[in-house]
């Protein structure tokens, strides 16, 4: 296996051959996916950093990688021994990519920079073109997939089977969804649209695949006009049932690579192409009188769950809660007996989930992070880092599952034995933020940024903060991270409405010591109507006790204690009929009221 520095040498040979001063490797694929199929993991291949967010940039004499706070610790470790410098996004003193390239290329003859235009959105490329031009006239080339030349053994584009998602779980057929999409397009004065987002396509067509790890999606494009719908996908991936369903709803198929030619022959006057979703290369290929460069209407439609989807979430969370309770009942005695590690408990939890009906796999790679590893926000244990668990300190366990009727995402921080006063205080402050957000009533149409401070108030009062988002949408047997709505400090204009799912996951991370995060998945539901409008509240979907042992009870208000007791009573009532006598007794103790 080649080292990172050997790969850089190969890359630089190609840069010289192409008269390029640098090449940029984003994380994304041609569909602007958060999680990508192995074929497009070029940034990981060239740098060795495997986080879900980041950009690698390589010049003839230097290399750097930009990533966010979730990965500062992990990236620093993974980049050791390579030429890559770690650039910490949003931290004072960190240059932007264009600024860094401006300095690195100031005294070189070849100032062209390369990037694969198929794997970067139109907006990304256009902003980069503009910013590089200001750095001494650097130009950007987008017509080269340099990985095709240097990545020996590059994985092929995946070919996993595509199958229907039954109407009993979706609650709406493809015909109805296409009607609503076309109505939304008319409101945006568009005749048709190119859909590139994989989870949007899967949702629209009520199909599911397995092309991307932990995400039941399939590599494809969907082209909608006023009269036709065409799915660009390798047809051999479609099961007979999927082909029949597409035919029934009048959806034609064409080979995946044919989308570029189809855009060149697009028959309508105008087309909507979301510049934050559609790649620069495909945007340039569109032949139409007008390109409507607006946000896709599909994420907002998908975010409001049907009654069938809401019920599916409740059933999936019930089964997930059963698995989690069985796991937590087993955990501490197993740790006390010895021999358990971060990876072994992940395997145990996965096995317990796999026993549940409709289980289809994990919704993301489990974060089982003991003590200092808990401070690494997106830590993933490896054989080299796999820490043995001891009956002391904190375990941060962030995990989830794909069930055919719903997707789960839950974090619990568990005291495996005695904990420090600092750990107890941080744990309780995080819990207060978690509870405060779930107790909130807010008007329909409020945005996540407006309510984010509720989860941070008690942390801010202690001079504490976390840099990741507080909450994100969750798909219905789709991507575990779903927009457009989010709860976070950074401005996100997407409004919150009844029927949306959203997580609540504040956390604090003390480097080289420990981390705390507590997460439930919630459903936004109606609260009441007043003369001032329609108000909403959040219903916890997640069914799993929150560890009471590290709580500093004196820091909780009576209202917060009441919420915790009510939540635990609900958890016990829902889960206990499905457990053994031993598990029920454990759950009873875990859910007993906090005085």
């Amino acid at each position: 296996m080649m080292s990172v520095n050997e790969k850089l040498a190969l890359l630089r040979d190609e840069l010289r051959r192409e008269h390029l001063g640098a090449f940029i490797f984003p994380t994304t694929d041609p569909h602007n996916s958060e999680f990508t199929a192995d074929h497009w993991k070029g940034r990981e291949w060239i740098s060795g950093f495997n986080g879900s967010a980041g950009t690698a940039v390589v010049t003839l004499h230097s290399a750097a990688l930009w990533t966010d706070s979730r990965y500062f610790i992990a990236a620093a470790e993974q980049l050791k021994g390579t030429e890559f410098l770690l650039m910490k996004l949003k931290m004072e003193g960190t240059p932007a990519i264009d600024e860094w390239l401006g300095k690195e290329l100031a005294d070189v003859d070849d100032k062209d920079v390369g990037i694969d235009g198929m794997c970067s959105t139109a907006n990304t490329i256009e902003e980069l073109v503009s910013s590089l031009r200001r750095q001494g006239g650097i130009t950007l080339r987008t017509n080269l997939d340099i990985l095709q030349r240097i990545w020996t053994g590059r994985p092929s584009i995946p070919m996993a089977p595509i199958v229907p998602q039954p109407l009993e779980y979706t609650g709406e057929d493809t015909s109805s969804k296409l009607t609503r999409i076309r109505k939304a397009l008319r409101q945006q004065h568009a005749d048709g649209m190119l859909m590139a987002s994989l989870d949007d396509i899967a949702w629209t067509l009520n199909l599911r695949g397995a092309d991307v790890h932990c995400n039941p999606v399939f590599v494809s494009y969907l082209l909608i006009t006023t009269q036709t719908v065409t799915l660009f996908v390798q047809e051999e991936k479609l099961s007979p049932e999927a082909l029949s369903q597409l035919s029934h709803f009048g959806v034609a198929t064409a080979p995946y690579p044919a989308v570029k030619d189809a855009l060149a022959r697009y028959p309508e006057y105008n087309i909507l192409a979301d510049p934050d979703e559609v790649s620069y290369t495909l945007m340039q290929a569109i032949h139409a009188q007008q390109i409507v460069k607006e946000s896709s209407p599909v994420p907002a439609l998908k975010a409001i769950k049907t009654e069938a989807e809401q019920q599916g979430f409740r059933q999936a969370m019930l089964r997930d809660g059963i698995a989690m309770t069985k796991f937590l009942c087993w955990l501490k005695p197993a740790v006390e007996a010895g021999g358990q590690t971060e990876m072994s408990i992940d395997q145990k939890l996965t096995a317990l989930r796999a026993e549940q009906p409709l289980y289809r796999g994990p919704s993301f790679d489990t974060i089982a992070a003991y003590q200092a590893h808990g401070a690494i926000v997106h830590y993933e244990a490896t054989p080299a880092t796999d820490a043995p668990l001891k009956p002391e300190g904190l375990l941060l366990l962030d995990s989830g599952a794909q069930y055919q009727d719903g997707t789960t995402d839950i974090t619990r921080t568990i005291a495996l034995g005695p904990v420090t006063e600092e750990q107890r205080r941080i744990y309780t402050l995080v819990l207060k933020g978690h509870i405060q957000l779930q107790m909130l009533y807010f008007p329909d149409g409020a945005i996540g940024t407006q309510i984010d401070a509720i989860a941070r108030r008690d942390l801010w009062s202690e001079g504490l903060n976390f840099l990741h988002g507080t909450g994100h949408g969750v798909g219905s047997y789709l991507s575990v991270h779903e927009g457009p709505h989010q709860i976070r400090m950074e401005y996100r204009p997407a409004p919150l409405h009844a029927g949306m799912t959203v997580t609540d996951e504040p956390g604090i991370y003390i480097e080289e010591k420990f981390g705390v995060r507590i997460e439930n998945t919630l459903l936004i539901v109606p609260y009441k109507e007043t003369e001032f409008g329609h108000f909403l509240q959040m219903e916890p979907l997640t069914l799993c006790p929150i560890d009471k042992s590290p709580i500093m009870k004196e820091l909780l208000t009576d209202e917060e204690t009441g919420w915790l007791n009510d939540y635990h009573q609900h958890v016990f009532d829902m889960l206990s009929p499905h457990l053994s006598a031993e598990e029920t007794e454990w759950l009873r103790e875990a859910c007993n009221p906090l005085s």
Side-chain angles (χ1 to χ4, degrees):
M1 182 182 293
M2 281 192 295
S3 69
V4 167
N5 291 340
E6 288 171 332
K7 295 171 185 177
L8 291 178
L10 284 178
L11 170 63
R12 285 168 176 148
D13 287 342
E14 291 299 326
L15 294 182
R16 295 184 186 96
R17 192 171 291 114
E18 291 289 335
H19 300 286
L20 289 170
F23 207 90
I24 299 173
F25 298 90
T27 298
T28 55
D29 62 6
H31 307 273
N32 198 33
S33 304
E34 178 184 11
F35 302 104
T36 62
D38 290 346
H39 177 79
W40 288 291
K41 290 184 177 179
R43 186 225 63 212
E44 179 178 335
W45 182 82
I46 196 68
S47 69
F49 168 63
N50 65 2
S52 67
T55 302
V57 186
V58 181
T59 75
L60 290 171
H61 305 290
S62 56
L65 181 132
W66 282 256
T67 192
D68 62 43
S69 63
R70 296 172 297 169
Y71 296 109
F72 288 167
I73 300 173
E77 184 65 30
Q78 292 178 359
L79 297 179
K80 280 182 180 177
T82 76
E83 294 184 38
F84 279 95
L85 298 175
L86 174 59
M87 299 292 186
K88 298 180 177 181
L89 286 170
K90 300 182 183 178
M91 300 299 288
E92 186 176 352
T94 299
I97 289 173
D98 61 303
E99 296 171 337
W100 184 79
L101 280 171
K103 293 179 180 178
E104 294 296 311
L105 302 182
D107 300 321
V108 303
D109 294 329
D110 294 324
K111 291 185 179 294
D112 286 3
V113 173
I115 190 171
D116 184 357
M118 275 297 291
C119 288
S120 292
T121 67
N123 269 353
T124 298
I125 294 292
E126 289 170 6
E127 291 169 7
L128 193 54
V129 166
S130 178
S131 62
L132 287 176
R133 188 179 295 124
R134 293 192 296 269
Q135 298 293 331
I138 298 173
T139 57
L140 190 67
R141 276 184 56 188
T142 62
N143 63 344
L144 176 62
D145 179 3
I146 207 164
L147 291 169
Q148 285 294 93
R149 301 184 184 180
I150 63 175
W151 189 351
T152 303
R154 182 180 187 180
S156 60
I157 295 176
M159 294 291 291
I162 301 170
V163 298
Q165 173 72 340
L167 186 61
E168 64 181 294
Y169 302 133
T170 68
E172 183 180 18
D173 68 20
T174 295
S175 177
S176 173
K177 291 179 178 180
L178 289 171
T179 297
R180 290 204 291 141
I181 291 170
R182 285 184 169 122
K183 180 180 178 181
L185 290 174
R186 288 195 297 272
Q187 293 171 346
Q188 293 177 274
H189 305 288
D191 298 322
M193 74 172 292
L194 173 65
M195 200 182 299
S197 171
L198 301 185
D199 60 331
D200 286 357
I201 295 168
W203 174 84
T204 300
L205 299 178
N206 287 341
L207 298 175
R208 298 294 187 268
D211 281 351
V212 180
H213 178 56
C214 298
N215 291 263
V217 297
F218 48 93
V219 174
S220 58
Y221 293 98
L222 192 66
L223 184 60
I224 300 174
T225 72
T226 54
Q227 300 297 323
T228 66
V229 183
T230 305
L231 175 66
F232 294 89
V233 67
Q234 295 309 108
E235 190 170 300
E236 55 266 39
K237 296 167 62 169
L238 292 161
S239 69
E241 295 80 9
L243 273 171
S244 176
Q245 181 169 296
L246 291 173
S247 177
H248 176 75
F249 292 111
V251 179
T253 60
Y256 176 68
V259 64
K260 191 172 181 181
D261 290 339
L263 291 172
R265 302 190 309 272
Y266 179 74
E268 308 270 19
Y269 176 79
N270 64 21
I271 184 172
L272 185 144
D274 186 339
D276 287 319
E277 176 184 314
V278 175
S279 74
Y280 178 80
T281 297
L282 290 187
M283 191 74 81
Q284 296 301 303
I286 296 173
H287 179 75
Q289 292 295 315
Q290 181 189 25
I291 301 177
V292 181
K293 296 182 179 181
E294 300 289 347
S295 296
S296 166
V298 178
L301 298 175
K302 180 169 92 276
I304 307 294
K305 309 307 179 194
T306 65
E307 288 297 327
E309 288 173 326
Q310 293 179 33
Q311 186 58 25
F313 268 107
R314 293 188 178 98
Q315 293 302 314
M317 296 288 176
L318 175 65
R319 293 191 296 276
D320 208 58
I322 293 168
M324 281 293 301
T325 299
K326 289 176 179 289
F327 170 80
L328 292 173
C329 179
W330 165 87
L331 177 63
K332 288 186 182 179
V335 171
E336 290 168 359
Q340 298 300 325
T341 69
E342 293 167 329
M343 293 182 72
S344 73
I345 64 165
D346 176 12
Q347 293 163 1
K348 175 68 173 181
L349 178 54
T350 299
L352 289 169
R353 282 185 164 125
E355 295 174 357
Q356 297 299 314
L358 300 182
Y359 176 79
R360 298 293 180 264
S363 56
F364 57 95
D365 289 321
T366 297
I367 299 168
Y370 180 56
Q371 290 287 74
H373 286 164
I376 306 172
V377 179
H378 274 207
Y379 171 78
E380 183 182 343
T382 68
T385 66
D386 187 23
L389 305 187
K390 302 176 183 178
E392 63 184 31
L394 293 177
L395 169 70
L396 191 158
L397 184 64
D398 188 348
S399 66
Q402 295 285 7
Y403 299 93
Q404 192 166 7
D405 52 355
T407 301
T408 71
D409 186 1
I410 173 177
T411 307
R412 291 293 183 263
T413 301
I414 304 146
L416 296 179
V419 295
T420 67
E421 287 300 293
E422 180 186 28
Q423 288 174 326
R424 293 183 65 216
R425 186 170 190 84
I426 294 291
Y427 181 93
T428 309
L429 291 170
V430 170
L431 177 60
K432 285 170 71 68
H434 176 82
I435 293 173
Q436 284 292 330
L437 187 61
Q438 287 180 70
M439 292 195 304
L440 182 67
Y441 303 109
F442 55 96
D444 180 41
I447 64 173
T449 308
Q450 292 172 312
I451 68 174
D452 176 79
I454 298 296
R456 299 177 189 263
R457 181 186 62 183
D458 291 291
L459 297 169
W460 285 349
S461 70
E462 300 277 338
L464 300 166
N465 197 20
F466 56 97
L467 299 182
H468 59 72
T470 303
H472 57 81
V474 179
S476 177
Y477 186 37
L478 275 173
S479 299
V480 73
H481 294 158
E482 185 176 272
H485 59 292
Q486 296 183 48
I487 302 175
R488 62 186 312 118
M489 287 197 302
E490 297 87 348
Y491 178 64
R492 292 292 187 273
L496 300 173
H497 299 300
M500 289 179 166
T501 54
V502 68
T503 62
D504 170 14
E505 49 183 306
I508 291 295
Y509 313 95
I510 310 299
E511 188 169 350
E512 297 184 356
K513 295 175 76 173
F514 66 93
V516 174
R517 186 163 65 251
I518 303 170
E519 175 188 19
N520 279 352
T521 299
L522 318 172
L523 177 67
I524 300 176
V525 296
Y527 171 48
K528 65 181 178 180
E529 194 85 31
T530 76
E531 60 184 304
F532 298 100
H534 183 51
F535 283 75
L536 306 173
Q537 61 185 334
M538 291 185 271
E539 169 195 332
L541 292 172
T542 300
L543 297 171
C544 181
I546 294 169
D547 193 355
K548 303 194 303 288
S549 63
I551 295 174
M552 285 185 163
K553 300 176 186 178
E554 65 273 18
L555 294 185
L556 294 184
T557 66
D558 290 344
E559 189 180 26
E560 290 164 347
T561 300
W563 181 94
L564 184 64
N565 290 340
D566 289 346
Y567 173 70
H568 277 155
Q569 185 62 55
H570 175 62
V571 168
F572 182 81
D573 291 344
M574 294 297 293
L575 296 181
S576 57
H578 307 280
L579 300 171
S580 70
E582 177 188 359
E583 292 158 354
T584 299
E585 191 53 40
W586 179 91
L587 183 63
R588 189 188 310 278
E589 177 63 29
C591 292
N592 275 344
L594 186 71
S595 59

